[in-house]
Amino acid sequence: MFYVAVAATAWGTGGAVAAVLYRTSGLGPVAVSFWRLVFGIGLLAGLHLALGERLGARRRDALVLGAGLAVYQTAYYGSIAFAGLAVGTVVTLGACPVVIALAARWLLGEALTAGRVLAVALGLAGLVLLVGGGGSAGAAPLLGVACGLLSAAGYAVVTIYSRRVGGDLSGATVGSFAVAALCVLPLAAAEGLLPSAGGMAGTAAWLLYLGAVPTALAYRLFFAGVAAVPATVTAVVTLLEPVAGVLIAVGLLGEHLTVAAAAGSALTLAAVAGLARTG
């Protein structure tokens, strides 16, 4: 659970960095996602070699995980683009625990205990309070909702497959990133792969951070942690991502913490703490 919690927190920092890149680099969300994967591949490959680990992974693992990651990330960005940040985040991250809980019950035989149902409910309530007050700023909210549900399905594939295969799949991270990058490349090329001429050093530094912390570190820890944690619990713990985003916005970007956001953060943390206490 600690590994998954650290991964989710790292993903939360990635959202703030991506927002900075959108404003300063001229890159779109899909292009940022592509370069994030590319930098992550390079850093993880170097880490594997430094530790003397084998880079190889089963082809099926890399294909399934890579395709799931590509769908999850790209559809999530599409949901935000079509339905707005608040609606896209609530639909995508809110659907994930529900979809995963039902899939884990059906495919993995995981018990849907009262404690886990309560944790999912608390987490969803916290998520709505965290980001649900902004309304829909998108031009096609229904399409955005559809993209959010597709994104949740992609994330569910990654989580359920990792649990079903069993064992630590962190060694398959490089291969899955490569597959995801190839899937995203056509969309990124159509959007524009190269940043604007100004601020190239700053853009490279932010992309390096995205590749190192929310990608290489986070997914290596996530694939290691999900092998030992029930899928439903994993889905609730990853709701720490928007909590981390709110704390960064308040602590580093000077944004005001509303009462609703504070209550949402408390509910989400309570759900995670309850799961940790009950094992």
Side-chain angles (χ1 to χ4, degrees):
M1 284 187 67
F2 176 73
Y3 282 177
V4 175
V6 172
T9 304
W11 291 334
T13 71
V17 172
V20 172
L21 282 168
Y22 300 155
R23 295 196 303 266
T24 62
S25 69
L27 292 172
V30 183
V32 169
S33 179
F34 171 77
W35 287 117
R36 169 183 173 178
L37 289 166
V38 170
F39 276 79
I41 290 169
L43 291 166
L44 270 179
L47 178 62
H48 280 298
L49 292 175
L51 297 176
E53 297 175 344
R54 190 169 56 89
L55 278 173
R58 291 193 306 174
R59 183 179 302 176
R60 183 179 64 181
D61 293 343
L63 289 174
V64 174
L65 295 175
L69 287 172
V71 170
Y72 166 57
Q73 292 192 24
T74 306
Y76 177 49
Y77 288 136
S79 179
I80 291 174
F82 290 123
L85 177 61
V87 173
T89 302
V90 169
V91 171
T92 302
L93 297 183
C96 282
V98 177
V99 172
I100 289 174
L102 296 176
R105 179 70 183 89
W106 179 44
L107 296 174
L108 303 177
E110 291 186 1
L112 199 56
T113 64
R116 291 179 186 175
V117 172
L118 177 60
V120 170
L122 284 176
L124 295 183
L127 179 66
V128 171
L129 288 172
L130 268 170
V131 295
S136 174
L142 291 180
L143 182 57
V145 169
C147 287
L149 295 176
L150 179 62
S151 177
Y155 179 74
V157 167
V158 173
T159 304
I160 297 297
Y161 181 81
S162 300
R163 284 291 295 163
R164 189 162 191 172
V165 170
D168 186 351
L169 287 178
S170 58
T173 311
V174 173
S176 62
F177 281 4
V179 171
L182 289 174
C183 292
V184 172
L185 177 58
L187 293 173
E191 186 180 66
L193 278 174
L194 298 179
S196 56
M200 291 290 289
T203 297
W206 285 124
L207 289 174
L208 180 61
Y209 176 85
L210 279 181
V213 179
T215 309
L217 171 66
Y219 278 104
R220 184 177 173 97
L221 290 176
F222 176 79
F223 284 132
V226 76
V229 178
T232 304
V233 176
T234 298
V236 174
V237 174
T238 52
L239 290 177
L240 288 174
E241 176 182 353
V243 176
V246 167
L247 294 178
I248 290 170
V250 173
L252 298 181
L253 303 181
E255 295 186 9
H256 177 64
L257 181 64
T258 65
V259 174
S265 299
L267 282 176
T268 304
L269 292 174
V272 175
L275 289 173
R277 185 175 180 180
T278 60

